[in-house]
Amino acid sequence: MKTTTVWRTSIAILLIAAMLVGCGGKDKQSTASQPARNASGELEGNLVVWTFFDQVEDMAAQFMKENPKVKVEVKTFPGDDYQTKLLTALQSGQNVPDVFDLERSYIGKFIDSKYLSDLSAMGAEDLVANYVPYVQALGRASDNTIRAVSDHSSPGGFWYIRENAQKYLGTDDPDQISDMVNSWDKIIALGQKVEQQSQGQVHLISNSGDLFDIEAYNTEPWVKDGKLNIDPKWEQYYTIQQQINDNNVDAKLSFMSAGWGNALNDGSVVLTTMPAWASFMIDNDNGAAKGKYGVARTPEGYYNGGTYRGIYRESPNQELAYEFIKYIAGEKWQQHNLEATGNMPGNAKVYEKNLNTFTSEITGDQKVMKVYYDVVKDLPALQPDKYSEEILSTWRKVAKEGITNHTDYAAVLANFTKQVQNAFPEIQAP
Amino acid sequence: MNSKLNKYYFGYIFVAPFFISFAVFGLVPILYTLYLSFTNWDAFNDPAYTGFGNYTRLLHDIAFYQSIGNTLIIWIFSIVPQLIIAITLAIILNEKFIRGKHFFRAIYYFPNIITPVTLGVLFSLIFDWQTGSINKLLTTIGLVEDPINWFNNPWWSRLIVAAVICWQNFGFNMIVFIAGLQSIPDEVYEASQVDGANGWQKTWYVTIPLLRPVFIFTLITSVIGGLQLFDSPYMIGNGPNNTTRTMIMYLYETAFKNFNFGYGAAIAYGVFVIVMCFTAVTVWLTRRREQ
């Protein structure tokens, strides 16, 4: 071979190699399970946890404090792309986490997949034995085994500025207010009164859509035996929403919109439907909101969101990962989390222990956990499925448009059915 | 001479990185998407071959046709004012007597460097019917009595999306037009002046015809870019009854929200065919005019 040919070939190989060097990744993880404890019985090893929110850092820090020989690496991927990134990693088996977070809105898509370990087989039934029923049910696959566990519940209530409630409702007592708004009929009547009294400047609730959020998980699942299942309650709720909208009971501000946040802080809405975890929306700079708010019960049990944690089935650190899940399902972590962030526990024992003592800065002396415990106990324990959240979001949008445009229920239902069938042709129309 | 030249393969070596990277990061995904389009794949199980099932579904999919219509409407509403504003500003800012033209060029180009997501959020806040500044302004000056629910109206929604895209891109097209204007030789203008042309005639009979290649470039890039609209409209939302849902938004929702990657891939190929057809028509029309 001529020298020039060798030289040319070498350069070509070098160029190609240089370019492809970045394409490589770590080899697939070894699937041989590693023991979690060393000879002296201490937990030892490394864990990788994937999440979309930064509070997991504290969770890892607390776990490492308990187990100094364990290193937990938390990788946070904020934003909507987290689930796609996670799915891609799980499919490829490259750089896969040992433990990963799943949000309520898409846990149903993952729960029956081959990527989640069967936690029931590892003993998780005991971990969730004292759990709030709806929280533990959301971590179950269709075969009823536990695949994911949450460390919290996400109950919501009617938040109100005490001064505002005194002015428009005549009281700031949470129990009295809860009684005043324990049915939608009472809410409509009260809302009309507030609207008249304030000459249209103040509204009782933020949005007629709050009703969707409250009733979303008090209805039957959207898909049953492969058929679209429309709970008859939705027609009743649609009519009530129409009345709320037409009578200006609501300020027509969508949940988490800028106007919604302003109303929560400036009092142009008396009662704001809000989950416990959303208290960061309240402006509490320099303690401005100290003792300013109260929380009342909604007409039916209500929750919004939730984060669940599962173990990757091929992870070599199954035992250690399970210890991590065990820790976050336990009372110690959930008590710490409650005190540090105000996130409500998933474990009912932690609720019960704190019912008469827990207070938060914003809600002052009120024993808010009593409200939330009543709320979460009410909620039906429904298992997630891969369709319901997307279908619920389609319903919410179609019904919202129908209410704004005064469309009759039959037309809204026809449009909704058409959209669901278009997105999921495998689901049979009712 | 020729035979001696043919012995050297340095050229192939130097262009190889592009072709290899294109094959790995471009061609392989394109072919893999084609393969997926013949399968039913939810990403959790192995893809199941379905033949032309996804394409048959696509041909009968009213939502897909609606998304094509939405995309075209939004594109037309954005491209027409975009090009008119761009060419007008380019001609004005190319004049020698305009002071501070570099400053204005930078200002008009500025929206192009803002991410479309940011613009989408910004416009959705500005046009919020309860708290948006546009309604506040209109009610304050007494132009309307009650706030307008912009995003509850299909045409207002589409116009707002088109306005976002127009506002973002007219500065870029303006720069392209200025570059085109500066390539027109002064002699042509001098000759037209000798012939007695006034300012308007110079623009209409000299500048515009000589800018034809630039027009073709902007038109073709706008067709390709405009038919792939995604981020700004996505941040603004689907509009009432999905009237601002573009083709790519539909693809994204199908593949990444509903986890139907097989049908999502078929939509991707459907979009590809549509973009190809429109680009071909644009090229054909512009060539025909040249002839």
Side-chain angles (χ1 to χ4, degrees), chain B residues 103-126:
Chain B
F103 171 76
F104 284 109
R105 283 177 194 172
I107 290 290
Y108 293 136
Y109 185 76
F110 182 67
N112 199 255
I113 58 171
I114 304 174
T115 61
V117 172
T118 311
L119 288 179
V121 173
L122 186 71
F123 273 67
S124 61
L125 288 174
I126 290 174

Side-chain angles (χ1 to χ4, degrees), chain A residues 90-162:
Chain A
L90 296 175
Q91 280 166 1
S92 68
Q94 306 281 327
N95 301 316
V96 193
D98 299 298
V99 176
F100 51 88
D101 280 3
L102 296 168
E103 215 271 330
R104 167 67 187 103
S105 61
Y106 52 81
I107 188 173
K109 292 173 189 165
F110 284 79
I111 200 82
D112 280 320
S113 76
K114 59 187 175 188
Y115 302 121
L116 285 160
S117 294
D118 176 359
L119 303 182
S120 289
M122 298 164 93
E125 295 293 344
D126 292 340
L127 297 185
V128 296
N130 294 314
Y131 256 53
V132 169
Y134 101 84
V135 179
Q136 66 137 299
L138 281 173
R140 286 186 188 274
S142 56
D143 64 0
N144 214 34
T145 56
I146 296 170
R147 300 299 170 105
V149 173
S150 178
D151 64 322
H152 60 270
S153 53
S154 319
F158 282 133
W159 283 66
Y160 57 88
I161 296 173
R162 287 176 178 275

Side-chain angles (χ1 to χ4, degrees), chain A residues 34-50:
Chain A
Q34 292 163 11
R37 291 183 190 275
N38 60 19
S40 49
E42 289 171 305
L43 287 178
E44 191 175 46
N46 297 326
L47 271 186
V48 176
V49 181
W50 277 24

Side-chain angles (χ1 to χ4, degrees), chain B residues 145-210:
Chain B
E145 205 171 306
D146 295 315
I148 300 166
N149 194 344
W150 307 97
F151 295 115
N152 190 46
N153 179 301
W155 287 100
W156 278 126
S157 305
R158 287 165 174 159
L159 279 173
I160 291 165
V161 174
V164 177
I165 294 151
C166 173
W167 190 60
Q168 188 187 15
N169 294 313
F170 80 89
F172 172 78
N173 285 326
M174 179 195 74
I175 297 291
V176 174
F177 281 127
I178 288 174
L181 286 169
Q182 289 175 350
S183 69
I184 300 173
D186 286 343
E187 290 83 353
V188 186
Y189 288 111
E190 283 160 13
S192 66
Q193 200 163 2
V194 171
D195 288 344
N198 58 27
W200 169 248
Q201 285 169 325
K202 272 194 235 174
T203 304
W204 192 249
Y205 294 109
V206 178
T207 311
I208 303 285
L210 288 175

